[in-house]
Amino acid sequence: MQEQSRDPLIEEALRWLVVLKDKAASDADRAAFEDWLRADPRHQAAWIQAQSVWMRVGKFGPAFANRPAAASGWRPATAVPAAAPTMWRAPPKPARPPSRRRFLYAAAAAAAVAAPAAVLLSRPDLLADHSTAVGERRKVTLEDGSTVELAGSSSLSVDFSVEARRVVLHDGEAFFDVARGTRPFVVQAADGSSQALGTSFDVKRQGTEVTVAVVEHAVAVSSAGSRVVVEQGQQIRYGTRRLGKVGEADLAQVEAWRRDRLIFHETPLGEVIADLERYRGGRIVMTDARLRDIPVTAVFDARQADAALDTIASTLAIRLRRVTGLLVVLSPNA
């Protein structure tokens, strides 16, 4: 997969995926694609491989599982006769030049596939003991009787020894209900850890940012060389070399995802989008960094992430464009 993602022919095929999916695609675009496909047997092979890469990496939807039928009677590369010529020639230019915006969308789509493929083997969560798919919610009982409820697109590993009960949250969100025991129960997430003090608590990780909210009893949170006890009804956030201040937690908001609800109160749009990605899959890209700071107050159904995006776009007057089932682009409404 990694080598495929760097093949310029596959990247070109990925761009054709985006062009053909675009509602503005014309008969001339489709004809140009047919010309490109017939220009070289390698293009047909690249087309098949591009679809395969996209499907494996991005949980690609059925819309592109097979390319749209065309008048030319296109067939897979396996149908090409063995004696077919292999001399390469440049494909004809598209009937109408693609706009700079369409090119950027195509490049973004290719990057959304190529980047995950390039780092897939280096991701620690690939060997996680427990994980959930996009939009899935699952409860796991650990060997000591503690339970962990995982939100969508979340993963964790368990390392219990005679000295301690340790859990690593690689990504996403998890709610812990810790069983009594003599060994400390510690959750490692990014650059910090949370030790249960006989408790129920929620840990949410978004990249290097982690939020710990305590529902019952208390949690000792350590990060950046400091340690602080977070009491029931409180929360704290930490990041790389930074431990924030303890503040009041909205427990209804914290636990809403366990009832398939996402509650936001004056939450920056960037964080809202990060949550929605875990429930719809794919990538949601913002073309203007200023959009990330727009505050959002809303209640969404976690099972209807696309409806939530539509509501956000209409309420905040943001332009929303679904480039593919995998890629959504948000931009200022000019």
Side-chain angles (χ1 to χ4, degrees):
M1 286 174 60
Q2 183 172 353
E3 291 302 314
Q4 287 179 346
S5 68
R6 295 177 180 176
D7 190 325
L9 287 180
I10 295 179
E11 292 182 359
E12 191 172 359
L14 287 168
R15 291 186 172 91
W16 275 116
L17 279 170
V18 176
V19 170
L20 295 177
K21 179 64 175 176
D22 193 336
K23 292 182 179 179
S26 65
D27 290 340
D29 288 327
R30 286 182 279 273
F33 168 70
E34 293 291 335
D35 289 339
W36 175 83
L37 200 64
R38 289 192 298 265
D40 189 328
R42 293 179 300 169
H43 293 176
Q44 297 180 355
W47 175 254
I48 293 173
Q49 291 173 358
Q51 293 178 90
S52 177
V53 169
W54 200 310
M55 292 173 69
R56 287 200 303 269
V57 176
K59 296 181 177 60
F60 196 73
F64 280 109
N66 297 289
R67 66 172 282 282
S72 64
W74 175 87
R75 294 294 184 271
T78 53
V80 178
T86 58
M87 182 177 295
W88 181 87
R89 65 184 178 86
K93 293 182 179 180
R96 61 186 176 93
S99 67
R100 181 174 182 273
R101 177 174 294 171
R102 289 185 68 196
F103 173 79
L104 291 176
Y105 289 146
V113 175
V119 301
L120 193 60
L121 296 180
S122 65
R123 288 172 46 186
D125 61 312
L126 287 179
L127 299 179
D129 295 312
H130 304 285
S131 61
T132 52
V134 172
E136 180 185 5
R137 181 163 50 84
R138 183 160 59 91
K139 181 177 287 188
V140 177
T141 301
L142 305 181
E143 63 183 66
D144 67 333
S146 299
T147 60
V148 184
E149 187 169 0
L150 288 170
S153 302
S154 302
S155 60
L156 60 81
S157 297
V158 181
D159 181 19
F160 280 15
S161 66
V162 295
E163 292 86 12
R165 299 170 289 173
R166 295 187 180 276
V167 174
V168 178
L169 181 64
H170 299 294
D171 195 21
E173 187 167 9
F175 185 87
F176 297 88
D177 193 352
V178 181
R180 292 179 178 273
T182 57
R183 296 173 296 170
F185 189 102
V186 180
V187 178
Q188 178 77 36
D191 293 333
S193 63
S194 304
Q195 180 176 340
L197 304 178
T199 191
S200 297
F201 61 105
D202 185 273
V203 181
K204 180 178 181 179
R205 175 175 179 177
Q206 292 180 330
T208 59
E209 292 289 318
V210 178
T211 302
V212 181
V214 181
V215 175
E216 290 183 3
H217 302 112
V219 172
V221 179
S222 301
S223 182
S226 300
R227 183 177 185 271
V228 63
V229 174
V230 184
E231 302 287 349
Q232 178 174 324
Q234 296 180 330
Q235 68 178 25
I236 193 170
R237 173 177 287 196
Y238 64 82
T240 305
R241 297 184 297 277
R242 176 182 59 80
L243 180 63
K245 296 181 179 180
V246 176
E248 183 179 354
D250 183 341
L251 297 185
Q253 178 177 341
V254 169
E255 296 192 78
W257 66 268
R258 302 176 66 197
R259 299 184 298 277
D260 296 320
R261 292 290 182 269
L262 299 175
I263 300 177
F264 304 104
H265 180 69
E266 296 294 307
T267 305
L269 179 59
E271 295 183 22
V272 175
I273 293 304
D275 272 348
L276 291 178
E277 280 187 333
R278 293 194 290 111
Y279 290 92
R280 77 172 298 276
R283 294 297 309 274
I284 305 171
V285 178
M286 286 179 278
T287 62
D288 191 327
R290 292 173 296 181
L291 297 179
R292 301 184 61 85
D293 296 326
I294 298 176
V296 175
T297 298
V299 179
F300 298 126
D301 187 332
R303 298 163 298 185
Q304 302 292 329
D306 276 302
L309 282 175
D310 290 335
T311 299
I312 289 172
S314 61
T315 303
L316 301 180
I318 292 175
R319 185 170 186 266
L320 182 150
R321 182 180 177 88
R322 289 181 172 86
V323 181
T324 68
L326 181 69
L327 179 64
V328 174
V329 178
L330 301 179
S331 56
N333 196 3

